[in-house]
Amino acid sequence: MSKFSKVVLKKGKEESIRRFHPWIFSGAIDRIEGPVEEGDIVTVYASDDRFLGIGHSAIGSIAVRLFSFQDIEPDLKFWCSKFQSALDLRQRIGLITRKKTNVFRLIHGEGDGMPGLIVDFYNGTAVIQAHTVGMWIIRDLLAEALKSVLGVRLKAIYDKSAKTLPFKAAVEPKDGYLFGKQGKTEVMEDGNRFIVDWEEGQKTGFFVDQRENRKLLSEYAAGKDVLNMFCYTGGFSFSAMQGGANLVHSVDSSAKAIELTNKNVELNFPGDKRHEAFAADAFDFMKDMNNKYDLIILDPPAFAKHKNALGQALQGYKRLNSRALQQIRPGGILFTFSCSQVVSKTNFREAIFSAAAISKRNIRILHQLSQPGDHPINIYHPEGEYLKGLVVYVE
Ligand code: SAH
């Protein structure tokens, strides 16, 4: 008899689980045997009493997120094996040993078989972000496992879950160190230096997911006048400068982000007059910029966090992109992104298509971009594909 409560599914509702989809929707549940509170570990069975998996329960439409399809004991050894497998992947794709890069995502939720958990590694500090109470409750166990797997590479673990746990959960999380202590730190991505402040910054402190796309941008930047809209810490701006841009304007509505960008530019290109940063709203800034830029990056925050906001979000992408496509110089290149999980690749492409039609210009797609290998997409969980980008040439 398992010590965990047992969730039994309705007849026929086990199909997706047998194809390794890790989510159990509340409507698929026939009954629960035993007490269950948010975040508790439960075992899941089909209606014919066949074992399906083990996972964390939650209040909401996704009632269980499975972290194993085998009947295992979720102890330290088990979590160590999860981290080890994630680390192996990063090692195999050359991220860990890559010269000039010491920041990567170690755990990308379902993509690494750990639904509800994000871990970013910043030059010795692991920043943990729990999106479920289940992962948050076991944070000390996870910290132990991380220490054991990362060994001397790990100097500190910071838990930054206060804002990411479901707001209805009856817990009072506080951000803080689970191990060691390291204030904001300098990290390096492809030779570019950044100050990352996980305590104050957005998300875990830095957008690790744009690494490959920044690199691609640098290849297109030589001699160009560049606008980096929604710059945050300035990632795309340095890539453009590194690639030999003629001029780079970074824009963000947050004054703090502009301050960060300026600091980071100074760190990498001291005294370089090619760069200027502006604290401004994107739509205002783009009102009247006719023919000023050859290369524009649009990397806005998620316009839609929920399915019911999809229509509005698509309108937002359309408006934003039409401004850029109408005004970019002839022969210009636009790097445009969406990080909304509910916006599919097709949705996004259609929004850019509509924006292109408004501009009435001849526009060709050069690249279709996604997230890098340290943000893997579990093939059985296509919902994990959230970052979409298009690079288009505007005649
Ligand atoms: N491109 C960045 C990440 C962008 S995150 C990188 O590579 O790291 C989105 C950014 O958009 C945030 O910094 C946020 O402050 C900014 N933002 C949100 N709304 C905005 C608006 N209306 N105008 C300009 N910037 C905005």
Side-chain angles (χ1 to χ4, degrees):
M1 182 72 193
S2 164
K3 62 188 169 196
F4 303 118
S5 291
K6 186 170 163 181
V7 171
V8 183
L9 301 191
K10 289 177 186 158
K11 200 160 178 237
K13 291 291 184 189
E14 71 280 10
E15 280 312 307
S16 67
I17 310 303
R18 289 175 62 201
R19 276 176 302 186
F20 307 113
H21 195 285
W23 292 350
I24 302 210
F25 290 95
S26 55
I29 296 175
D30 179 61
R31 63 183 190 279
I32 300 175
E33 296 174 6
V36 173
E37 289 198 35
E38 170 134 28
D40 282 353
I41 293 178
V42 292
T43 48
V44 180
Y45 288 80
S47 58
D48 61 2
D49 218 29
R50 246 176 323 153
F51 174 86
L52 293 173
I54 176 164
H56 284 130
S57 68
I59 299 165
S61 76
I62 305 171
V64 183
R65 289 173 175 83
L66 299 174
F67 48 71
S68 177
F69 295 91
Q70 274 149 12
D71 200 358
I72 47 80
E73 175 65 30
D75 54 9
L76 180 64
K77 200 169 134 226
F78 169 75
W79 295 113
C80 282
S81 73
K82 287 276 185 187
F83 285 126
Q84 189 60 53
S85 146
L87 190 66
D88 288 348
L89 183 155
R90 276 88 185 151
Q91 231 140 14
R92 297 252 166 137
I93 62 173
L95 255 181
I96 314 267
T97 45
R98 186 148 141 188
K99 267 199 225 146
K100 301 185 175 174
T101 297
N102 56 25
V103 37
F104 59 90
R105 175 155 290 190
L106 176 62
I107 299 294
H108 186 61
E110 283 82 355
D112 285 295
M114 297 179 85
L117 188 72
I118 297 292
V119 180
D120 285 337
F121 184 83
Y122 295 114
N123 191 17
T125 299
V127 181
I128 289 191
Q129 213 163 44
H131 290 255
T132 60
V133 174
M135 282 296 179
W136 184 71
I137 291 175
I138 60 165
R139 62 197 178 283
D140 287 323
L141 182 61
L142 295 175
E144 279 312 305
L146 264 179
K147 281 197 294 200
S148 154
V149 169
L150 290 174
V152 291
R153 266 186 285 231
L154 190 66
K155 307 277 182 279
I157 302 175
Y158 187 72
D159 170 28
K160 196 176 184 187
S161 307
K163 288 208 185 91
T164 54
L165 287 175
F167 66 96
K168 284 188 210 137
V171 289
E172 286 175 22
K174 281 203 179 69
D175 293 339
Y177 287 90
L178 300 176
F179 161 64
K181 188 171 169 39
Q182 212 178 22
K184 49 182 159 185
T185 294
E186 190 179 310
V187 304
M188 201 153 62
E189 180 192 87
D190 286 321
N192 283 323
R193 295 153 70 192
F194 295 83
I195 303 286
V196 178
D197 185 353
W198 40 84
E199 295 183 32
E200 298 294 327
Q202 299 180 36
K203 303 272 168 117
T204 64
F206 180 67
F207 286 81
V208 189
D209 56 0
Q210 289 287 21
R211 182 195 320 109
E212 308 293 339
N213 303 331
R214 289 185 190 119
K215 206 165 162 197
L216 180 68
L217 177 95
S218 74
E219 292 168 19
Y220 284 115
K224 305 271 169 66
D225 291 347
V226 181
L227 171 64
N228 179 14
M229 182 55 75
F230 308 97
C231 65
Y232 186 38
T233 56
F236 282 106
S237 305
F238 320 126
S239 303
M241 292 172 82
Q242 201 183 36
N246 179 52
L247 161 161
V248 179
H249 287 166
S250 303
V251 180
D252 200 289
S253 58
S254 148
K256 223 165 158 184
I258 292 304
E259 203 183 303
L260 261 173
T261 295
N262 278 330
K263 269 194 194 144
N264 286 331
V265 168
E266 201 44 39
L267 200 61
N268 291 285
F269 302 94
D272 197 321
K273 294 275 182 293
R274 290 179 297 161
H275 180 262
E276 213 176 327
F278 305 87
D281 175 78
F283 288 94
D284 289 344
F285 193 91
M286 292 172 77
K287 223 181 249 159
D288 195 18
M289 54 162 204
N290 226 355
N291 263 333
K292 253 168 94 178
Y293 302 106
D294 311 287
L295 186 51
I296 298 179
I297 302 109
L298 297 177
D299 183 24
F303 280 174
K305 296 238 157 79
H306 299 285
K307 271 216 166 81
N308 47 15
L310 179 63
Q312 222 178 348
L314 294 176
Q315 281 301 322
Y317 289 119
K318 184 171 125 185
R319 271 180 59 215
L320 186 70
N321 282 280
S322 68
R323 288 232 167 139
L325 291 172
Q326 277 169 319
Q327 301 182 79
I328 197 167
R329 280 185 190 146
I333 293 177
L334 172 69
F335 276 64
T336 182
F337 297 95
S338 162
C339 60
S340 312
Q341 192 154 1
V342 296
V343 173
S344 70
K345 225 193 282 188
T346 310
N347 290 150
F348 184 58
R349 176 107 161 236
E350 281 165 4
I352 305 307
F353 167 87
S354 304
I358 292 170
S359 78
K360 298 195 175 67
R361 296 176 72 172
N362 189 3
I363 292 170
R364 281 169 271 181
I365 297 175
L366 305 180
H367 301 274
Q368 302 182 52
L369 306 177
S370 180
Q371 58 216 60
D374 54 342
H375 294 60
I377 303 156
N378 174 352
I379 200 153
Y380 306 113
H381 178 259
E383 295 90 336
E385 181 171 6
Y386 72 101
L387 184 62
K388 299 147 293 280
L390 287 174
V391 181
V392 300
Y393 178 77
V394 190
E395 206 163 296

